[in-house]
């Protein structure tokens, strides 16, 4: 493709890509909102049994995990069907499902009903998280994929900031219901836009044999298509989770899952229990929520900056670095430093936990080719939620045991070190953005892993 053709494709590509990024970003804002809003209301639910009934710290941690079990189920289901029915349908169903469950949660009056609705909310969140990365990976230019992915997944910490701000404005315990009702807004604000503006991936259409539609969408969106569908040269390819079990992806999938597991344990543990832990350290409700704002604000800014480095040097190296930053910041939080220093450390911890997960989704969505991409991201999001499920439970156990807050931070720092080690052992993939342009040109000339790029 010459320079003039390349510029024409870029211009045609830009408008659809902006809509896709905007829709996926807003969807994940509400994912992050749901993640953090529960943490902001845990102190109210613990202290006021008139809300949903008497609640212990252990039960509060379990309620936080119900949503994460739902996320795991939703992500795995989305992965199972996403490579078969398409990304667009899964996104639309996820928006509707999440919004309805979140809105209904605001009317819960007992622990059982609230827990069931938290689980159902998580199912919708899982479908959105697992599908957004696959969409961005197939529409974004290879040399900008990590940046666009970071923009989309920065919606998670942005939603956390939104939840913390709205919680700060809440004047009494009863306002928690309004916070949950607000989570139903995507049904009215986002769904109509997605129905009109969210296209199906032309690469997925081609991979599934819809050649005419694939070329129509390619012309409209400017997304280039390969000359052959994935697997055409070597016979019918394995699709979805079946592809993850092949020798090509099995070891990498295990390590990527463990990597995500570490990051999500840290993300959900801190998002759920940071206000309570800091409250036990002598900071009132307003200060505790400021820590939560700082955690998510650091994740947004740091995640976007780190994604630029990931596009230049590769995401794997950057993820190791952010895990190490998280470990250092969490360990230093135990030193009883002045408030400004604590806020800086919390912001760095946000980069190394929530921001790391943003980078992980970008890494994973580019690691797999089209026929396995939704399943790969879903595996990362779903298996990783085992860590997310454990995060609130571990935090609840530590808080309930009355141990000093420093103990929790030391344990979380150890998890970050484990995440860095696991990441360093993930096999290199030829689909990394830094090498994509050259490898795409090489395509059929290169054997082994380079054939992945011909699928793109």
């Amino acid at each position: 493709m010459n320079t003039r053709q390349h510029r024409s494709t870029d211009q045609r590509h830009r408008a659809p890509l902006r809509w896709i990024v905007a829709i996926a970003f807003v969807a994940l804002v509400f994912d992050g909102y749901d993640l953090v809003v529960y943490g902001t209301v845990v102190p109210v639910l613990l202290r006021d049994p008139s809300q949903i009934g008497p609640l212990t710290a252990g039960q509060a941690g379990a309620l936080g995990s119900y949503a994460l079990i739902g996320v795991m189920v939703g992500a795995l289901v989305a992965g199972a069907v996403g490579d078969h029915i398409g990304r667009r349908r899964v996104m639309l169903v996820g928006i509707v499902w999440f919004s309805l469950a979140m809105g209904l949660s605001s009317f819960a009056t007992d622990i059982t009903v609230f827990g069931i609705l938290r689980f159902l909310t998580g199912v919708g969140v899982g479908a959105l998280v697992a599908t957004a990365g696959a969409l961005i990976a197939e529409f974004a230019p290879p040399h900008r994929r990590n940046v666009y992915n970071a923009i989309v997944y920065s919606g998670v910490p942005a939603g956390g900031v939104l939840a913390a701000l709205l919680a700060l404005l809440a004047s009494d315990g009863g306002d928690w219901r309004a916070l949950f009702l607000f989570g139903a807004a995507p049904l009215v604000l986002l769904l109509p836009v997605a129905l009109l503006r969210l296209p199906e991936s032309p690469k997925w259409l081609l991979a599934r044999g819809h050649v005419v539609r694939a070329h129509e969408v390619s012309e409209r969106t400017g997304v280039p298509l390969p000359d052959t569908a994935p697997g055409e040269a070597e016979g019918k390819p394995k699709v979805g989770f079946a592809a993850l079990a092949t020798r090509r992806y099995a070891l990498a999938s295990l390590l990527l899952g463990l990597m995500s597991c570490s990051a999500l344990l840290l993300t959900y543990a801190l998002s759920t229990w940071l206000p309570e832990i800091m409250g036990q350290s002598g900071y009132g409700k307003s200060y505790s929520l400021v820590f939560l704002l700082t955690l998510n604000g650091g994740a947004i800014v740091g995640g976007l900056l780190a994604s630029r480095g990931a596009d230049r040097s590769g995401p794997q190296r950057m993820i190791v670095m952010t895990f190490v930053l998280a470990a250092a910041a969490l360990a230093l939080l135990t030193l009883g430093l002045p408030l400004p220093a604590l806020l800086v450390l919390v912001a760095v911890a946000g980069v190394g936990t929530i921001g790391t997960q943003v980078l992980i989704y970008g890494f994973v969505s580019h690691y797999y080719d089209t026929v396995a991409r939704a399943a790969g991201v879903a595996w990362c999001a779903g298996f990783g939620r085992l860590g997310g499920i454990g995060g609130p439970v571990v935090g609840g156990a530590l808080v309930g045991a009355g141990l000093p807050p420093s103990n929790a931070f030391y344990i979380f720092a150890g998890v970050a070190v484990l995440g860095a080690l696991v990441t360093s052992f993930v096999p290199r993939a030829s689909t990394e953005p830094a090498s994509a342009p050259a490898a795409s040109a090489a395509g059929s000339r290169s054997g082994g892993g380079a054939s992945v790029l011909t699928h793109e």
Side-chain angles (χ1 to χ4, degrees), residues 245-342:
T246 61
R247 185 170 62 178
R248 176 181 175 186
Y249 286 137
L251 175 61
S253 295
L254 174 62
L255 294 173
L256 290 169
L258 291 172
M259 179 175 67
S260 180
C261 193
S262 301
L264 286 171
L265 188 152
L266 295 171
T267 294
Y268 281 88
L270 289 174
S271 296
T272 301
W273 288 108
L274 185 61
E276 184 68 16
I277 290 172
M278 300 312 293
Q280 290 187 4
S281 299
Y283 295 94
K285 177 185 176 182
S286 295
Y287 277 112
S288 297
L289 290 175
V290 166
F291 282 114
L292 206 53
L293 275 170
T294 304
L295 182 78
N296 286 276
I300 295 171
V301 176
L304 290 172
L305 291 175
S307 70
R308 295 180 67 85
D311 273 327
R312 289 193 296 269
S313 61
Q316 189 170 2
R317 183 181 303 172
M318 193 59 60
I319 291 168
V320 171
M321 186 181 302
T322 54
F323 265 131
V324 171
L325 282 175
L330 289 167
L332 291 171
L333 280 172
T334 64
L335 299 181
L337 299 173
L339 180 60
L342 289 179

Side-chain angles (χ1 to χ4, degrees), residues 76-413:
L76 293 176
V77 171
V81 302
D83 287 316
H84 293 274
I85 69 171
R87 290 56 162 127
R88 185 178 189 273
R89 291 175 184 171
V90 176
M91 281 290 289
L92 295 176
V93 170
I95 290 170
V96 174
W97 188 298
F98 164 84
S99 300
L100 291 176
M102 189 77 173
L104 290 172
S105 297
S106 66
F107 298 100
T109 56
D110 65 75
I111 294 174
T112 301
V113 172
F114 187 72
I116 292 171
L117 289 169
R118 292 298 296 149
F119 169 80
L120 293 175
T121 301
V123 171
V125 169
L128 294 173
V129 170
T131 309
L135 270 172
I136 296 304
E138 296 185 354
F139 278 93
H143 64 289
R144 298 279 289 169
R145 281 178 178 171
N146 282 292
V147 168
Y148 279 115
N149 188 83
I151 291 171
V152 167
Y153 280 101
S154 68
V156 176
V161 169
L162 177 63
L165 285 172
L166 292 179
L168 280 171
L169 296 175
S171 58
D172 57 63
D175 286 346
W176 75 267
R177 297 187 183 277
L179 295 177
F180 275 82
L181 187 59
F182 178 76
L187 192 63
V188 178
L189 302 178
L190 184 60
L191 181 62
V193 178
L195 284 168
L196 290 173
R197 294 291 185 177
L198 188 66
E200 184 54 88
S201 163
K203 295 175 183 177
W204 175 84
L205 290 169
L206 184 65
R208 301 302 293 158
H210 306 293
V211 178
V212 175
R213 285 183 59 201
H215 284 281
E216 288 175 352
V217 178
S218 176
E219 281 295 315
R220 189 170 72 248
T221 61
V223 175
L225 292 174
D227 294 331
T228 59
E232 187 175 297
E234 64 271 18
K236 186 177 180 181
K238 291 187 176 181
V239 177
F241 285 115
L244 304 192
T246 61
R247 185 170 62 178
R248 176 181 175 186
Y249 286 137
L251 175 61
S253 295
L254 174 62
L255 294 173
L256 290 169
L258 291 172
M259 179 175 67
S260 180
C261 193
S262 301
L264 286 171
L265 188 152
L266 295 171
T267 294
Y268 281 88
L270 289 174
S271 296
T272 301
W273 288 108
L274 185 61
E276 184 68 16
I277 290 172
M278 300 312 293
Q280 290 187 4
S281 299
Y283 295 94
K285 177 185 176 182
S286 295
Y287 277 112
S288 297
L289 290 175
V290 166
F291 282 114
L292 206 53
L293 275 170
T294 304
L295 182 78
N296 286 276
I300 295 171
V301 176
L304 290 172
L305 291 175
S307 70
R308 295 180 67 85
D311 273 327
R312 289 193 296 269
S313 61
Q316 189 170 2
R317 183 181 303 172
M318 193 59 60
I319 291 168
V320 171
M321 186 181 302
T322 54
F323 265 131
V324 171
L325 282 175
L330 289 167
L332 291 171
L333 280 172
T334 64
L335 299 181
L337 299 173
L339 180 60
L342 289 179
L343 290 174
V344 171
L345 290 175
V346 168
V348 173
V351 177
T353 56
I354 306 171
T356 295
Q357 188 60 27
V358 169
L359 295 175
I360 288 172
Y361 282 131
F363 183 30
V364 171
S365 63
H366 307 151
Y367 199 93
Y368 299 95
D369 64 9
T370 298
V371 294
R373 181 164 287 132
V377 179
W379 164 256
C380 176
F383 182 80
R385 249 55 184 195
L386 291 176
I389 291 165
V393 173
V394 170
L398 293 171
V399 172
L403 297 173
S406 60
N407 288 38
F409 288 131
Y410 282 132
I411 290 172
F412 297 154

